[in-house]
Amino acid sequence: MKHSVSKEDKELLKQDKPWLDAFLQEHYGVAPKKKNTKRVWVTLTACAAAVALVLTLALCLPRVFRSSDTGKTDMNGEKHYAAENRTTREVDLAEVNNDLQKILIEFSADYVLDITCCYDSVYNDTLYYVIHGVNEQTLEDVLVNLYVNPDFACTAELELDKETTNVNGFDLDYIHSFIFDDPFYTVSYKSLTEYSGVTVYIEYTQLSLSENGDFFDFFAQTFLVK
């Protein structure tokens, strides 16, 4: 005849220890407790999810950090052009125009040009061109930055007092200033325009007999729509 379960042993029944099963079965005829399958499954699922999260972070986070540091493509397919991977080479105007789809650049023969292509050495992608032109006949000095890569934005900005005009189909934002030193004006323009995905930033200086100089004539003759 089996004994009744004492108060102390009832407390033991509340515990979930494997060694209790044999003891209670032998002394009290109490069947082993059934495991809460749902609770065990939830616990195992939570543990598995936690392990999966740790593995995912371990695999993915280094890739994201490396992409930002070394110029590699990240998980979203976006390129990161690291500053240390930028390099330059000398090019001619024909190569620049070949890279432009909707814009044609033509400098008059009086300009002496120095043209540089800045590109990323990891992807071998062109980022922008720098054109420096000097015209001793018209006393013009021009610096043109052409940002041709949609993933590499132009950081140049014009002040709030900028003006806007349209030249040859280009909506041109510009700032005009001058210094008078009798009988000459040192005329300066900074301008910014975007056309068909290409951003053009220009710094223009001229020694002129007029406070306006020839900037707009220069732009109209130099930048054309193909």
Side-chain angles (χ1 to χ4, degrees), residues 47-117:
C47 292
V51 172
L53 177 61
V54 171
L55 291 175
T56 300
L57 291 175
L59 292 173
C60 296
L61 284 181
R63 183 179 178 187
V64 173
F65 293 147
R66 285 199 302 270
S67 70
S68 298
D69 294 338
T70 66
K72 299 295 185 180
T73 304
D74 67 14
M75 291 185 297
N76 296 322
E78 297 178 355
K79 296 179 180 180
H80 295 273
Y81 296 119
E84 60 268 25
N85 295 331
R86 296 176 199 167
T87 187
T88 61
R89 59 186 176 87
E90 298 299 315
V91 297
D92 57 21
L93 191 58
E95 182 171 337
V96 176
N97 281 320
N98 187 58
D99 202 13
L100 300 174
Q101 302 299 316
K102 302 293 185 178
I103 301 174
L104 178 65
I105 300 178
E106 293 183 345
F107 280 86
S108 72
D110 293 331
Y111 280 91
V112 176
L113 300 178
D114 180 17
I115 307 177
T116 302
C117 172

Side-chain angles (χ1 to χ4, degrees), residues 99-104 170 195-196 198 224-226:
D99 202 13
L100 300 174
Q101 302 299 316
K102 302 293 185 178
I103 301 174
L104 178 65
F170 294 88
Y195 189 88
S196 189
V198 176
L224 309 171
V225 176
K226 289 184 179 179

Side-chain angles (χ1 to χ4, degrees), residues 176-189 204-213:
H176 168 225
S177 62
F178 62 87
I179 298 174
F180 180 65
D181 186 8
D182 193 19
F184 297 105
Y185 292 86
T186 301
V187 181
S188 298
Y189 283 86
Y204 172 98
T205 304
Q206 182 184 26
L207 194 62
S208 173
L209 294 174
S210 161
E211 65 183 45
N212 292 317

